[in-house]
Amino acid sequence: MSRLTDAQAMRLGLALARAHARQQQRLDERLGMWHGLDASDFLLLDALARASHGGLPTLRLAQALHLAPSALVRQLMPLEKTGLVARDAGAVLLRPAGRQLHAEAAQTVGAVCAKAWAGVGLDPCGPDALQSQLDAVASGAVIPTPSATPAP
């Protein structure tokens, strides 16, 4: 596969940002309406639900969510107050109420995502390949330094 030009990469990056913003808006609307969550809260609960023993060290959770630890703590406070998560000895734990809410909200997230992808027409191998590519972008694959030539 050939290397993208900077202009192509920019167009793809901006299209990805627009798609992300629209999908987050859809998720925020539905999750808020039906479950009292937003997309970032669902992502946090999802990370904990997927973790062994329903918990993660705080720093590892912050890294998994691409958040600064202080931002994670601010996000955790209302989830703690409502009994969805607990913090204990440097870890964040998913409480039974959080596990239940996550399971219910996952159905909503699945439906919203299925509707968003319905018109795309991915071939049967497409979703796995696309997920791998998006995971590589999210993981911070090697980012080259800007070219020496200044932009016009």
Side-chain angles (χ1 to χ4, degrees):
M1 183 172 182
S2 63
R3 184 182 182 283
L4 295 174
T5 67
D6 286 353
Q8 290 170 318
M10 180 183 76
R11 284 193 306 273
L12 282 173
L14 293 176
L16 180 60
R18 285 190 304 273
H20 172 264
R22 180 63 180 118
Q23 185 66 356
Q24 184 153 356
Q25 181 184 39
R26 289 180 191 119
L27 290 170
D28 285 345
E29 288 170 2
R30 291 294 179 198
L31 287 168
M33 181 186 316
W34 296 107
H35 309 287
L37 296 172
D38 63 20
S40 60
D41 290 336
F42 178 80
L43 288 171
L44 188 152
L45 295 177
D46 190 62
L48 294 174
R50 293 177 187 282
S52 62
H53 310 297
L56 286 171
T58 305
L59 186 55
R60 206 160 102 206
L61 180 58
Q63 291 168 340
L65 297 173
H66 305 284
L67 292 173
S70 60
L72 175 62
V73 169
R74 284 190 301 274
Q75 185 179 353
L76 287 170
M77 283 192 267
L79 298 175
E80 265 187 300
K81 286 181 183 179
T82 56
L84 301 175
V85 300
R87 286 188 283 171
D88 184 41
V92 181
L93 307 169
L94 187 60
R95 299 190 64 191
R99 186 169 302 284
Q100 177 67 33
L101 183 58
H102 172 265
E104 294 167 2
Q107 293 177 15
T108 300
V109 170
V112 169
C113 291
K115 186 174 181 181
W117 287 107
V120 174
L122 291 173
D123 64 55
C125 296
D128 292 336
L130 181 57
Q131 182 171 348
S132 294
Q133 291 170 329
L134 291 172
D135 287 344
V137 170
S139 72
V142 176
I143 300 173
T145 57
S147 59
T149 309

